[in-house]
Amino acid sequence: MTGHTRPAQTEHRPPTEATVKQLYATAFRCGKPECPRPLYRMNNETGETILNSRIAHIHARRQGGPRWNPQMTEADNRSAGNLLPLCIEDAAEVDETPAHYPADLLREWKREQLREYDTIQRAWPITDDQAAEAAEQSFGPQQEAAATAAAAAVAQVARCASRLVETSRQQRRAAADAAAGWQAMRARWAQSLGPFFDPGTGDRLTSDEAQVEPPRRDTEECESALRATLRTAKEAIEPVATDLVAELGAVRVVARALGLRCDQVEQDARSLVSAATQWDLSDPGDGVWHQAVARLEAAVQALGAVWHEEDARSQPPQPTVPQSEATACPPAA
Ligand SMILES: [Zn+2]
């Protein structure tokens, strides 16, 4: 090795206000194709223009940030070519879920935004004060901290929810074994008495059809074994559900638009806890629990997707919680 290798920079200075003015002088609306939001909006009463956008970095300004490119020079990083004015929601979104927004895609958006300016010749020739405001809002520490916190909270909810599903799945195996033991005992008992025939037709009947049940004293041991597994399940699952609810609270604080989706996740998590702490002998496929898992997973996905798809204002789907038909074993006390 000869000469000095300059250590790679891990953070670049923010863009200059001159660059900010240049960006707004060559763009009219959000750089996401099909997003109609203008970069500034008008207050109809006062005629004031109000900042309606943020400037996103195609490659982040800091190591570890979205689409960080260690090869990029500082001059390139803070140049207009690496910067894309977007509406506030889309600016947050491209940084929260950068995997959905690779640099090549954002560069294509950038080209499209400039093409549109060439065509319509509409843009926002802003003042120095407005440029300073846009820079502060786009690159200031508070803005970045809020975006990071929201992303972290949504990711944490997803992790907690999958831990809840996994914990309940593990506990379900023990309950299934106990229930199978109960069923096997019934089958053995029926076999020792059978076969059974319909008194009218003489047709052979199964033990279920013949409605033979072992005497109570024989079922008690099996039933108490099943109850014990459900109590253990409850002890294992409830703390995980509590963690999930706490993380949902964190999302509600940093991303209020996601409140309805958070409510849905919470409701489905509670349904899963309820399903996982009961056992219905007449539901041999454990369908109620499987449905509860599927609903929770869909709700968590919807929470992530809404962050991504930006339709947080739409109503969440109405829950279709089936009435639990658990008859054999009520919730563990
Ligand atoms: Zn937009």
Side-chain angles (χ1 to χ4, degrees):
M1 286 283 266
T2 56
H4 297 284
T5 322
R6 209 163 59 94
Q9 263 181 298
T10 58
E11 179 172 341
H12 301 302
R13 284 172 294 167
T16 64
E17 284 174 17
T19 302
V20 170
K21 289 177 84 167
Q22 180 194 340
L23 289 166
Y24 281 92
T26 53
F28 179 70
R29 60 177 184 91
C30 173
K32 184 181 185 177
E34 282 106 47
C35 179
R37 296 191 181 110
L39 301 180
Y40 277 83
R41 59 191 169 80
M42 284 288 190
N43 180 325
N44 288 334
E45 285 171 19
T46 65
E48 268 184 326
T49 50
I50 298 162
L51 183 64
N52 196 36
S53 54
R54 300 288 182 263
I55 299 164
H57 277 75
I58 295 177
H59 294 290
R61 192 158 81 74
R62 290 194 184 89
Q63 187 168 23
R67 298 166 296 274
W68 165 252
N69 175 0
Q71 319 300 334
M72 193 174 225
T73 65
E74 181 176 74
D76 284 345
N77 185 270
R78 62 205 298 238
S79 73
N82 187 46
L83 300 167
L84 179 65
L86 295 168
C87 72
I88 295 168
E89 288 83 350
D90 286 327
E93 189 178 317
V94 299
D95 284 353
E96 298 320 330
T97 55
H100 294 291
Y101 300 96
D104 283 344
L105 177 66
L106 298 190
R107 272 189 284 271
E108 178 52 41
W109 291 7
K110 173 88 190 169
R111 281 192 290 274
E112 189 54 45
Q113 193 178 48
L114 292 173
R115 255 197 302 272
E116 182 178 273
Y117 170 70
D118 283 342
T119 309
I120 65 171
Q121 294 289 313
R122 288 180 75 191
W124 302 97
I126 57 175
T127 65
D128 288 353
D129 283 350
Q130 285 176 311
E133 184 201 8
E136 171 63 24
Q137 293 294 323
S138 298
F139 316 126
Q142 283 178 338
Q143 199 277 336
E144 291 189 12
T148 309
V154 170
Q156 196 60 26
V157 162
R159 275 193 288 275
C160 264
S162 68
R163 199 152 54 84
L164 180 62
V165 168
E166 197 40 50
T167 305
S168 86
R169 193 188 307 282
Q170 285 163 6
Q171 297 298 325
R172 221 50 192 155
R173 289 190 198 113
D177 286 349
W182 188 345
Q183 294 290 36
M185 183 277 289
R186 286 175 75 207
R188 279 195 306 275
W189 189 86
Q191 206 169 19
S192 72
L193 289 187
F196 307 98
F197 298 94
D198 185 314
T201 64
D203 290 342
R204 178 107 185 230
L205 298 176
T206 66
S207 58
D208 282 341
E209 286 164 346
Q211 296 184 332
V212 292
E213 277 295 332
R216 184 71 196 161
R217 65 176 186 279
D218 291 344
T219 67
E220 265 169 8
E221 194 180 332
C222 294
E223 186 174 341
S224 86
L226 178 55
R227 280 184 190 283
T229 66
L230 295 175
R231 270 194 303 276
T232 306
K234 189 178 162 80
E235 283 161 16
I237 292 165
E238 282 193 335
V240 186
T242 303
D243 288 350
L244 174 58
V245 169
E247 295 298 341
L248 286 166
V251 173
R252 289 188 185 97
V253 169
V254 294
R256 274 171 302 168
L258 300 184
L260 289 173
R261 300 287 171 168
C262 287
D263 294 349
Q264 185 69 51
V265 172
E266 184 167 341
Q267 185 179 337
D268 290 335
R270 292 190 194 288
S271 297
L272 176 58
V273 171
S274 162
T277 51
Q278 307 182 37
W279 192 276
D280 181 359
L281 287 180
S282 67
D283 177 20
D286 207 7
V288 172
W289 176 79
H290 279 100
Q291 281 172 31
V293 168
R295 278 197 310 276
L296 175 61
E297 287 176 339
V300 170
Q301 202 171 22
L303 175 66
V306 84
W307 193 230
H308 167 61
E309 297 292 342
E310 190 207 324
D311 61 348
R313 277 157 248 105
S314 70
Q315 290 292 317
Q318 285 306 304
T320 51
V321 182
Q323 290 300 308
S324 169
E325 284 159 12
T327 49
C329 242

